[in-house]
Amino acid sequence: MAGALTPEEKEHLITRNLQEVLGQDNLRAVLKERDLKIYWGTATTGKPHIAYFVPMSKVADFLKAGCEVTILFADLHGYLDNMKAPWSLLKERVKYYEAVIKEMLISLGVPLDKLSFVCGTDYQLSKEYTLDVYRLASVVTQHDAKKAGAEVVKQVEHPLLSGILYPGLQALDEEYLKVDAQFGGVDQRKIFTFAEKYLPQLGYGKRIHLMNPMIPGLAGGKMSSSEEDSKIDLLDSAAKVKSKIKKAFCEPGNIEDNGLLKFLKHVIFPMYKEGEVFTIHRKAEFGGDLVFPQYEQLETCFAAQELHPGDLKAAVEVCINRLLDPIRKAFDTEAHRELTERAYPAPVKVLAAGAGAVGENSPDKLELKVGQIMDAIKHPDADSLCVLTVDIGNGERKSIVSNLLTHYALEQLRDRLVVVLTNMKASKIRGVESEGLVLYAAGTDRCEALAVPDGSKVGERIIVEGFDNTNNPVPPLNPKKKVWDKIQAELHTGTEGEALWKEFSLMTLNGDRVTSTLPGCSIK
């Protein structure tokens, strides 16, 4: 098909439904000579949902236009973006993304002969790429790097260096993937203009940038993996799709904040072959069926309130289930179910009564977080104590008095990641206020701060296995009831140094265990 198209027809396919194109003259020049080379990248973080059909619909257009398309699974980017993807899960999430995106493209009827998949860490850890990161760092200002990532990288009061590096790495991907163009959402515009400014300073060419609009979620606003009500998972059952569509925001006459209409515009209508139409089935007493050959006709009808939201929802539900059916069937195998579980482990559930039953002195009363010691100084009135300034995430810091000074030099404590009890009532220790505890294993001749799992991020919750308290605020511990003292009496390290409460492990929500090199000790 692509071989029979004129350059103008290819340009139309490549650019239709886009919100913005940077470098369209260059695009036309390339198409007069050869087919376009383009890449789309996705950070392997949250589970892909139906909004991913929007870029996949454009990938279909690119392939129909004869483009050579590369899909980049940006695993390293996912880790750098405030460690949304733990290092321990990166490989499994890449496998999941590749499997599910292939099934999405098959569901869209896309030929895959000019499509390739690349994993970011396949080349981003090379010597050449690393040297270019340093070269880029020597010319990019901190202001420009932070500004470029403002719409994409999670913003916090005290940003990590990783988030500042993120835009530069994405810019370098254009050169290392040897493409003419990068495709992405309009939320990445600042990264695209950043690449156009800085790649030429390294001697590399300026690329074309193609930008999709951001479509609203089901609840209005951006569709997000972390907001259950805003999106439909690709593996949701037909019944769950029906339930979510029923609750979707669909105000009569509102065509701007309507995720259902935008999905039809950017996914369903572009799929139609010549002569196919979108049909909304209605009973005769409600006006009979409505037929829309063009999306604009549907939008006009809904804006005029000639189409009831309930009828629109019913038609969209049918379309979505048709898209999801082949994906659900493909993933209905033992291998795919195991892959899904490895990539996205189920949240830890509260155990049944008798196993890890919640009680007045059970560990769900503790708010434990990964903290980073930003500073450590000697206590002014106690030689065996130190005062730690600990970052516990989201810009919050706590001052904690600790006796770790007897086993660590001050410089050994600074920048260390530790497990912090954060919901203790502040109290004064030898005249200095302490707002929490840094947990440590206490041996007979030495003590050791508990080791957080590799890839843990500051502010990440630590729970006791079977006692998931993360869905509700954890109130401060009542010192009069000595709740901490009673819970602490059951904290210890196992025979292999694993941190335990009774027989239950201290762990992250991903299931990674807190440890120590000191087995058989109490934890204080």
Side-chain angles (χ1 to χ4, degrees):
M1 172 185 170
L5 297 177
T6 66
E8 291 74 21
E9 289 170 329
K10 291 180 179 181
E11 181 186 354
H12 170 71
L13 272 175
I14 291 168
T15 60
R16 69 172 176 171
N17 285 335
L18 294 179
Q19 182 164 324
E20 187 176 2
V21 177
L22 299 177
Q24 191 149 359
D25 289 342
N26 191 18
L27 169 65
R28 290 168 182 156
V30 172
L31 290 176
K32 288 179 181 178
E33 300 293 329
R34 56 174 173 80
D35 289 327
L36 196 71
K37 296 178 181 179
I38 185 170
Y39 101 87
W40 173 73
T42 179
T44 48
T45 52
K47 291 175 74 174
H49 44 74
I50 61 164
Y52 276 65
F53 272 111
V54 177
M56 289 304 102
S57 179
K58 284 308 304 174
V59 167
D61 282 343
F62 301 152
L63 292 169
K64 290 173 187 175
C67 299
E68 295 179 24
V69 180
T70 298
I71 290 182
L72 170 65
F73 296 119
D75 50 350
L76 185 56
H77 290 73
Y79 180 78
L80 289 175
D81 185 3
N82 212 33
M83 291 181 280
K84 289 180 180 177
W87 201 262
S88 60
L89 297 181
L90 283 181
K91 289 184 178 179
E92 299 301 333
R93 290 194 176 176
V94 166
K95 293 175 187 175
Y96 180 87
Y97 265 67
E98 181 168 351
V100 80
I101 285 177
K102 281 182 178 177
E103 295 302 331
M104 291 176 72
L105 293 171
I106 291 170
S107 177
L108 288 170
V110 177
L112 305 183
D113 55 307
K114 297 190 75 173
L115 181 69
S116 60
F117 296 93
V118 175
C119 182
T121 47
D122 289 343
Y123 66 91
Q124 290 165 349
L125 301 178
S126 68
K127 176 181 177 181
E128 295 77 15
Y129 189 92
T130 302
L131 289 175
D132 268 344
V133 172
Y134 289 134
R135 290 177 62 208
L136 194 61
S138 71
V139 296
V140 173
T141 66
Q142 183 188 52
H143 172 270
D144 282 2
K146 289 174 68 175
K147 178 182 176 183
E151 303 296 327
V152 177
V153 180
K154 184 177 180 180
Q155 299 297 297
V156 294
E157 184 178 353
H158 302 287
L160 297 174
L161 179 61
S162 58
I164 297 175
L165 290 174
Y166 188 110
L169 271 62
Q170 185 169 337
L172 286 173
D173 289 340
E174 296 180 349
E175 174 64 24
Y176 279 78
L177 293 172
K178 302 301 179 186
V179 295
D180 305 301
Q182 182 180 175
F183 164 62
V186 73
D187 61 332
Q188 299 191 60
R189 190 183 195 281
K190 291 178 181 177
I191 291 182
F192 293 161
T193 56
F194 173 93
E196 292 188 1
K197 176 179 179 180
Y198 282 106
L199 280 187
Q201 294 188 36
L202 300 186
Y204 298 141
K206 185 186 296 186
R207 266 62 180 192
I208 302 158
H209 293 104
L210 311 171
M211 284 166 273
N212 245 0
M214 305 302 293
I215 73 168
L218 300 180
K222 182 180 177 181
M223 194 175 292
S224 169
S225 296
S226 61
E227 297 179 19
E228 183 64 24
D229 289 339
S230 79
K231 51 90 178 182
I232 292 172
D233 189 273
L234 296 171
L235 302 180
D236 276 348
S237 66
K240 190 170 286 188
V241 170
K242 185 179 188 71
S243 174
K244 289 183 177 180
I245 292 290
K246 186 176 181 180
K247 293 186 289 185
F249 178 78
C250 191
E251 183 181 38
N254 185 340
I255 61 174
E256 295 302 322
D257 301 319
N258 192 316
L260 303 181
L261 281 176
K262 301 303 182 186
F263 189 81
L264 290 170
K265 177 180 180 180
H266 292 283
V267 178
I268 302 302
F269 275 86
M271 287 175 55
Y272 287 156
K273 298 179 176 63
E274 188 174 350
E276 288 187 290
V277 296
F278 179 68
T279 302
I280 294 182
H281 297 287
R282 302 189 303 185
K283 293 181 179 180
E285 58 265 35
F286 298 123
D289 292 351
L290 290 173
V291 177
F292 300 100
Q294 303 293 331
Y295 169 78
E296 290 73 18
Q297 297 167 327
L298 169 64
E299 188 177 271
T300 299
C301 182
F302 189 83
Q305 299 190 32
E306 296 170 359
L307 171 60
H308 190 275
D311 294 324
L312 177 65
K313 288 182 177 184
V316 172
E317 178 192 336
V318 171
C319 293
I320 288 177
N321 277 318
R322 283 177 182 167
L323 282 175
L324 298 187
D325 271 340
I327 302 173
R328 289 189 288 237
K329 289 176 182 176
F331 271 72
D332 190 21
T333 66
E334 189 64 28
H336 280 90
R337 284 191 289 270
E338 289 179 358
L339 172 60
T340 304
E341 179 59 31
R342 290 197 306 271
Y344 297 95
V348 179
K349 302 295 184 181
V350 174
L351 300 179
V358 172
E360 183 178 352
N361 300 316
S362 55
D364 60 298
K365 305 300 184 294
L366 305 180
E367 183 179 69
L368 299 172
K369 292 184 179 182
V370 175
Q372 184 172 30
I373 300 174
M374 307 306 294
D375 194 17
I377 61 174
K378 288 185 177 181
H379 191 292
D381 297 317
D383 292 339
S384 63
L385 299 178
C386 58
V387 182
L388 309 176
T389 301
V390 186
D391 181 359
I392 60 169
N394 294 321
E396 185 178 359
R397 298 188 177 190
K398 286 187 175 289
S399 178
I400 297 175
V401 176
S402 172
N403 64 358
L404 287 174
L405 184 59
T406 57
H407 302 280
Y408 294 90
L410 292 174
E411 57 268 21
Q412 291 176 308
L413 291 171
R414 295 186 184 108
D415 296 326
R416 179 181 290 269
L417 292 178
V418 291
V419 178
V420 185
L421 176 62
T422 62
N423 65 323
M424 291 194 75
K425 185 176 180 180
S427 61
K428 287 191 175 182
I429 299 177
R430 301 288 294 271
V432 175
E433 188 170 71
S434 183
E435 302 174 299
L437 283 177
V438 172
L439 300 193
Y440 62 92
T444 55
D445 56 352
R446 70 187 181 100
C447 296
E448 180 184 88
L450 294 182
V452 302
D454 290 341
S456 297
K457 62 181 180 179
V458 174
E460 185 174 358
R461 293 291 290 272
I462 299 291
I463 63 169
V464 174
E465 184 177 14
F467 296 85
D468 183 358
N469 60 7
T470 57
N471 291 326
N472 300 297
V474 183
L477 294 171
N478 187 338
K480 292 183 179 179
K481 294 186 176 181
K482 298 190 179 298
V483 176
W484 164 244
D485 295 339
K486 294 172 183 176
I487 297 173
Q488 185 272 323
E490 304 282 359
L491 287 170
H492 63 101
T493 57
T495 56
E496 297 182 358
E498 66 276 26
L500 303 170
W501 180 80
K502 295 185 177 180
E503 70 271 31
F504 305 109
S505 296
L506 274 66
M507 60 195 295
T508 67
L509 293 179
N510 291 321
D512 298 321
R513 266 58 175 179
V514 174
T515 59
S516 169
T517 63
L518 302 179
C521 298
S522 62
I523 294 175
K524 298 182 178 180

